[in-house]
Amino acid sequence: MFKKILVGYDGSKSGRAALEHAAVLAREYGAELQADWVREPLPRHSDLPGEVEEEAEGADEYFQTRVREAEEIARQHGISIRCERLRGHPAKALVKAANDGRFDLVVVGHSDHSELWGRLLGDTADRIADHAQCSVLIVKTPSSQTPPSGPGPAR
C-alpha cells in the first residue's frame, strides 16, 4: 500500500508521535521512510556582527539532534530512515517535498494551537492535507488529562 513515507519532524511532542507512527507504518509496509525538518529562512541582515552565523550554527546543531532522535526511533523499529533539512514555510516545503519525491503518505503531528487559532489561520497539518497529492495522516497526541475514574471492568 505505502512504499514511500514522508514524516515532518521538528522535535515537538506531536512531531515525535508522528515519527513513531510513521516508523511503525514503514516497518509494517516495508516502506522507505524519510523525515524532513523545515526551518524558516534566517534573516539576511543583522544589527550585531556574527548574529546570522550564530543562528545558522544553532539551527545546524538543532537539526543534528533531530537526526539522532529520528535514527534512534528507526533503529528501535528495525528500519532505516533518511533525514533531510528543508527551508521555507513548513506546510509549503513539506508539500513540495512530498509531491516532488512522489511519496505515498505524509505523516505529520497535529499542532497544539488553540481551536480559535487553527480556525483563523489554519495549521500546518491542515494545509498539508489540503495540498499534498498523496494521503496524509495527521497524528494527534493523547490528551494529558486523566480519564475520569469509574467502575472497573465487569468480571
Side-chain angles (χ1 to χ4, degrees):
M1 178 176 264
F2 300 118
K3 296 296 177 199
K4 291 181 74 175
I5 300 172
L6 175 65
V7 59
Y9 183 57
D10 61 1
S12 68
K13 183 178 173 183
S14 62
R16 185 173 180 95
L19 181 58
E20 290 279 354
H21 278 74
V24 169
L25 289 169
R27 182 187 68 221
E28 293 301 313
Y29 287 107
E32 295 176 33
L33 180 59
Q34 180 173 312
D36 284 0
W37 172 64
V38 184
R39 77 173 167 97
E40 297 198 29
L42 295 172
R44 299 179 90 181
H45 304 285
S46 170
D47 294 334
L48 301 172
E51 186 177 30
V52 173
E53 291 81 7
E54 288 175 19
E55 288 282 335
E57 287 174 15
D60 288 341
E61 289 174 19
Y62 189 83
F63 174 69
Q64 290 307 317
T65 301
R66 304 293 74 83
V67 168
R68 287 190 295 276
E69 291 168 356
E71 288 173 342
E72 176 58 23
I73 289 171
R75 187 193 62 74
Q76 290 171 4
H77 290 280
I79 60 171
S80 62
I81 191 168
R82 184 173 153 197
C83 297
E84 296 286 330
R85 178 179 8 194
L86 307 175
R87 288 198 170 105
H89 184 277
K92 188 174 182 180
L94 287 171
V95 166
K96 182 173 178 8
N99 292 344
D100 290 353
R102 298 180 186 250
F103 284 86
D104 305 305
L105 178 68
V106 176
V107 182
V108 292
H110 187 269
S111 72
D112 295 330
H113 294 307
S114 71
E115 189 174 321
L116 176 61
W117 178 266
R119 272 188 282 158
L120 289 174
L121 300 176
D123 67 6
T124 301
D126 292 333
R127 290 178 181 171
I128 292 169
D130 287 343
H131 298 287
Q133 295 172 355
C134 62
S135 296
V136 177
L137 172 62
I138 300 172
V139 178
K140 291 189 175 189
T141 55
S143 172
S144 60
Q145 298 175 342
T146 307
S149 60
R155 294 184 192 223

